[in-house]
Amino acid sequence: LRSSSSVRLSATALIVACLFVENFVFSADFSVLGFREVDDVAFQVSLRNAHQAIHAGRLDKLFSLNDYAYGWVFWAPMVVATYPLFLISQWFAVDWPLIVFPRQVSLLFAVLSLVFMRRVLRQLDVPEWGCASGVLMLALLPTTGYFSMRFGTVNAVAFFSLLTVYLAIRHEPDIQRQAKQAALSLAVAGGIKLSGLLVAPLAFVLIMLRAKGRPFVATL
């Protein structure tokens, strides 16, 4: 069973590596961006507008960004993180770092989702081979691969939703602290996109079960 778990985790790592490489395809410059993903074109326009606002000293713009109904919780860190890449694009006409970086951020959130998927399963007392299988199945989902190769919020929302579930289900002596941590993660998920709040009822039930001293596994 241990060897089969290793095989599944290795297959997952191979999938992630393939997605990482794929994120460089059609990324040489903005002229070829439309061949890859139309959303990348639109989101890069929003990113450039925000960069230009920062360049003009309008830092308040960071906290009013809401393009495509993605909250500033998503946009502000992305704008700040890519600002040096914007300068490279402007000064040296090297566009690919600015194009590739947001896609790799999506992939990073996918990897973090896989990590916390395993942690949630472990909290449910799933054996290691089952955890490895669950992680591999999540990695094999077409939506996981698709949203790991585009500039967007889906994987970020998925990660914070899984993080919320993990924080609500884990064994934490201080239930108030646990509830606050889960609520903060849920707030970030909803702040990125309102669909992130869909996990709120589940998180509430899990916290209530923990408050009553009833582990979720025992309830099942």
Side-chain angles (χ1 to χ4, degrees):
L1 289 179
R2 186 172 298 177
S3 61
S4 65
S5 297
S6 298
V7 170
R8 290 175 175 85
L9 292 177
S10 297
T12 302
L14 180 60
I15 292 169
V16 171
C18 290
L19 292 172
F20 179 85
V21 173
E22 182 68 24
N23 278 337
F24 290 90
V25 176
F26 288 123
S27 303
D29 54 59
F30 291 111
S31 65
V32 299
L33 201 55
F35 289 98
R36 173 63 183 273
E37 175 58 60
V38 66
D39 283 353
D40 272 19
V41 177
F43 298 160
Q44 284 288 345
V45 171
S46 295
L47 201 59
R48 182 167 293 269
N49 290 338
H51 286 149
Q52 290 173 340
I54 292 177
H55 205 59
R58 295 168 50 206
L59 297 181
D60 59 299
K61 177 71 173 177
L62 286 173
F63 302 101
S64 60
L65 292 168
N66 193 40
D67 289 22
Y68 307 101
Y70 299 165
W72 67 266
V73 175
F74 168 77
W75 282 113
M78 182 65 74
V79 170
V80 172
T82 56
Y83 184 67
L85 306 180
F86 164 74
L87 296 179
I88 292 173
S89 176
Q90 290 289 98
W91 295 343
F92 305 107
V94 178
D95 299 327
W96 71 262
L98 184 58
I99 294 171
V100 170
F101 184 85
R103 295 177 185 163
Q104 301 294 24
V105 169
S106 294
L107 178 58
L108 174 61
F109 278 119
V111 172
L112 291 173
S113 296
L114 296 174
V115 171
F116 277 88
M117 163 68 83
R118 180 186 178 280
R119 292 190 176 187
V120 168
L121 292 175
R122 289 301 296 158
Q123 286 293 320
L124 296 173
D125 292 334
V126 175
E128 186 57 44
W129 68 267
C131 293
S133 298
V135 168
L136 178 58
M137 285 190 287
L138 179 58
L140 286 171
L141 283 177
T143 51
T144 300
Y146 176 71
F147 290 113
S148 295
M149 296 188 297
R150 57 179 289 184
F151 184 172
T153 62
V154 173
N155 283 351
V157 173
F159 163 66
F160 282 105
S161 296
L162 277 167
L163 178 60
T164 299
V165 172
Y166 171 72
L167 292 172
I169 204 173
R170 71 191 180 111
H171 303 298
E172 169 64 54
D174 188 343
I175 187 63
Q176 290 188 346
R177 180 185 177 190
Q178 182 174 6
K180 289 176 182 177
Q181 290 174 341
L184 178 60
S185 178
L186 178 64
V188 174
I192 294 173
K193 199 170 184 179
L194 287 177
S195 58
L197 297 177
L198 291 173
V199 76
L202 175 60
F204 177 78
V205 170
L206 293 174
I207 289 293
M208 288 298 100
L209 290 173
R210 292 285 294 126
K212 293 179 180 179
R214 295 171 58 191
F216 185 64
V217 176
T219 303
L220 290 175

